Amino acid sequence: MTAETSFDSAQRFILAAKGFWTTQLYTNLREQYGERCAAQGVEPTTVPQVAAVAEDLTVYRYFAWLERHLQIAKYSGRYGLAHYYREHADEVLKDLDGAAGQSSNLELDPALRMPSYYVATDIHQHPGGVWSEPTAGLVYQHGARSTTPLLGASHGDLHARFTDKILEGGRPARVLDLACGFGKSTMPFASKLPEASIRGIDLAAPCLKLAASNATKAGLTNVSFAQRDASNPGFADASFDLVTSTMFLHEIPLKVLDRVLDECFRLLEPGGRMVHLDFWHMPDPFTRFLHYGHGRRNNEPYMQPLAELDLPKTLAAKGFVDIRIEPFSETADVDLAAVKAWRFPWTYISARKPA
Amino acid sequence: MTSDKSDGEQRSEQVFFEDPAVDRLMGVVLALATEHYVLLDRVHVLERRLSAAGLVPDAEAHAAEHADAAALAEALFRPLLGVQQARGAAGRFSLARTARTEENPQ
């Protein structure tokens, strides 16, 4: 019996516990919240009003505690992802560095300075963040498998569905994927648009190495990755006809978002599209309350500022037109109104640079 | 690669309960439960191998590939819901305030 077996077992249990959290604990919380609102004769419309009703519910305390600590258990401690990949670093990095060394699809910049906001918080409760350890990309990739436990094996569908929805509006020839991480969001563009040129950029070298390696292993020759800051990416004006990102906007302060949006506009050719997948559309104040709490609990401090931003007004002020912001289903044939389990408030954010 | 990160900085953990002792004790429970599942899983693997070698009857070997993580999570966390499993008197337990009668035995 090996330590690896124990790691797999522990991770399986932690994921099962998250499944309980996502379904039974969440459902119970919603019921108790509804009952307490009715008993108090209130209909909260703001997050502070929801908090006044919900925060001392015993089940909310457990819900909040487990949300934070199941993630801690996933990443930290003796069965955590960070420890596991450190222990196996020699073996997993040999494979990764070998693949990265042979590929011409990777451009790293050792002199690139990591922004202070980026290093101040270990996002997702990933110890050291997604950038500071050689194994960080592998840890992130492994952790992302169970970000949305109910999606299970179909988690990959999210990115494919997002790509498909973009392609309904036309097939771009030059695509830039901002903050591409280990390339999970980039790869569907490369495979679905074999005739196009796909670029992925990110701050994190360990993630980019993995992205390049994954692309090489998948036989995708039309995609390349570079270590660049999305707020200062350095490409020439009008270099792309699609600039996209997935779960990026909520990870940056608003002042950085402002620069990123300016760069999106500059990098697009006239008539080009900018499409982001993120969390913004939250008409239900209780969903908003949980989302703000998730940001705090999961070390994602810019979730709330993004959710509170007047996004249509912001995009219009930048000069974008055809602005579409709508809920996005992460799986096929899901009736969003009927979903009883917890889910992210996925939002499709699309705009066009005037032709 | 350079950064402004200050290594070794320690921050206190978030607190969700009125008494942080509950937060910390929950951590102990979760760690113990995880260790329990790891051991359970090992036992199931051993049972399967012993069964395959004919050392224990098939009936004692677990049929599933892994110990059932969802069932353990359910059993472990169900008490967090605070829902009765059989109907009876509800709410905070006290004999100090309510005079029970035959008509209102709860």
Side-chain angles (χ1 to χ4, degrees):
Chain A
M1 210 61 60
T2 64
E4 184 168 344
T5 307
S6 299
F7 164 78
D8 288 336
S9 297
Q11 288 285 330
R12 191 180 315 117
F13 173 67
I14 293 160
L15 182 58
K18 190 69 186 282
F20 181 88
W21 177 91
T22 306
T23 53
Q24 298 201 54
L25 202 57
Y26 171 78
T27 306
N28 183 281
L29 172 60
R30 281 218 79 124
E31 283 170 9
Q32 291 202 31
Y33 170 73
E35 285 168 13
R36 184 174 276 194
C37 286
Q40 295 182 357
V42 294
E43 289 183 23
T45 56
T46 67
V47 167
Q49 287 170 0
V50 174
V53 175
E55 279 188 342
D56 66 345
L57 284 168
T58 301
V59 72
Y60 173 72
R61 295 178 192 273
Y62 284 124
F63 180 89
W65 189 93
L66 277 172
E67 182 172 43
R68 180 153 180 92
H69 285 264
L70 288 175
Q71 187 81 348
I72 292 174
K74 181 164 116 175
Y75 277 101
S76 301
R78 72 177 184 138
Y79 298 129
L81 295 169
H83 177 71
Y84 174 81
Y85 280 96
R86 272 181 213 135
E87 289 285 297
H88 293 76
D90 286 349
E91 153 201 349
V92 295
L93 292 177
K94 197 160 93 182
D95 181 45
L96 188 58
D97 289 338
Q102 291 164 10
S103 63
S104 55
N105 61 354
L106 177 63
E107 164 207 307
L108 296 179
D109 178 5
L112 185 65
R113 188 164 184 81
M114 300 291 109
S116 55
Y117 76 86
Y118 188 66
V119 303
T121 303
D122 292 343
I123 63 160
H124 310 144
Q125 300 197 71
H126 179 157
V130 297
W131 62 276
S132 72
E133 290 189 57
T135 50
L138 293 157
V139 170
Y140 185 20
Q141 177 174 251
H142 196 136
R145 288 184 207 161
S146 52
T147 301
T148 48
L150 287 194
L151 282 181
S154 64
H155 190 262
D157 289 0
L158 172 75
H159 301 282
R161 284 172 54 76
F162 177 58
T163 307
D164 287 342
K165 189 170 168 73
I166 292 174
L167 300 193
E168 284 169 13
R171 295 175 69 82
R174 294 171 297 159
V175 177
L176 177 62
D177 188 19
L178 303 174
C180 64
F182 56 88
K184 199 172 183 183
S185 55
T186 327
M187 244 57 98
F189 289 102
S191 57
K192 289 171 190 284
L193 295 169
E195 71 285 4
S197 164
I198 318 292
R199 305 292 308 263
I201 63 169
D202 200 281
L203 287 167
C207 293
L208 290 162
K209 279 187 184 178
L210 182 56
S213 166
N214 289 343
T216 302
K217 285 177 182 166
L220 296 168
T221 55
N222 60 335
V223 58
S224 63
F225 297 92
Q227 189 177 18
R228 301 189 188 201
D229 186 333
S231 70
N232 183 24
F235 298 103
D237 293 0
S239 293
F240 300 96
D241 54 353
L242 173 69
V243 176
T244 181
S245 81
T246 300
M247 290 176 274
F248 167 49
L249 306 185
H250 71 264
E251 304 289 15
I252 52 177
L254 292 182
K255 64 181 180 189
V256 179
L257 175 63
D258 190 63
R259 294 204 299 272
V260 168
L261 293 174
D262 284 341
E263 286 298 314
C264 290
F265 196 87
R266 182 183 72 77
L267 292 175
L268 283 172
E269 64 181 27
R273 282 185 297 157
M274 173 183 79
V275 190
H276 304 287
L277 183 62
D278 218 293
F279 312 124
W280 191 82
H281 182 76
M282 282 164 262
D284 169 32
F286 188 73
T287 299
R288 186 172 286 271
F289 163 76
L290 291 186
H291 187 68
Y292 291 6
H294 173 81
R296 172 77 75 88
R297 292 186 281 268
N298 208 38
N299 292 1
E300 297 180 84
Y302 307 111
M303 270 186 165
Q304 182 173 339
L306 176 70
E308 290 177 337
L309 181 69
D310 186 340
L311 202 47
K313 189 176 161 190
T314 302
L315 298 183
K318 296 288 181 197
F320 288 104
V321 295
D322 298 340
I323 297 165
R324 279 172 58 199
I325 301 177
E326 53 197 54
F328 179 80
S329 318
E330 59 273 40
T331 51
D333 306 323
V334 62
D335 176 2
L336 293 183
V339 172
K340 291 275 191 253
W342 178 91
R343 63 180 289 278
F344 278 116
W346 300 104
T347 307
Y348 183 87
I349 301 160
S350 170
R352 190 180 291 278
K353 183 173 179 173
Chain B
M1 193 156 49
T2 56
S3 81
D4 302 328
K5 189 178 173 72
S6 59
D7 288 327
E9 181 194 359
Q10 293 215 328
R11 304 182 197 184
S12 59
E13 186 46 86
Q14 293 181 15
V15 175
F16 300 97
F17 295 91
E18 286 181 333
D19 185 343
V22 178
D23 290 80
R24 297 180 197 183
L25 197 56
M26 278 291 290
V28 175
V29 171
L30 182 60
L32 275 174
T34 306
E35 296 291 351
H36 176 74
Y37 179 79
V38 168
L39 285 173
L40 203 58
D41 214 22
R42 288 188 177 197
V43 169
H44 283 198
V45 170
L46 287 171
E47 279 181 340
R48 277 204 309 279
R49 290 187 181 175
L50 289 169
S51 171
L55 296 171
V56 297
D58 281 349
E60 291 178 22
H62 202 281
E65 178 65 22
H66 303 291
D68 192 337
L72 177 61
E74 158 93 26
L76 180 74
F77 294 125
R78 171 156 286 283
L80 302 186
L81 304 179
V83 176
Q84 291 194 352
Q85 304 303 298
R87 289 172 300 161
R92 184 166 294 280
F93 188 91
S94 172
L95 299 179
R97 284 173 295 181
T98 308
R100 286 181 295 168
T101 64
E102 273 190 48
E103 293 74 32
N104 183 18
Q106 305 296 336

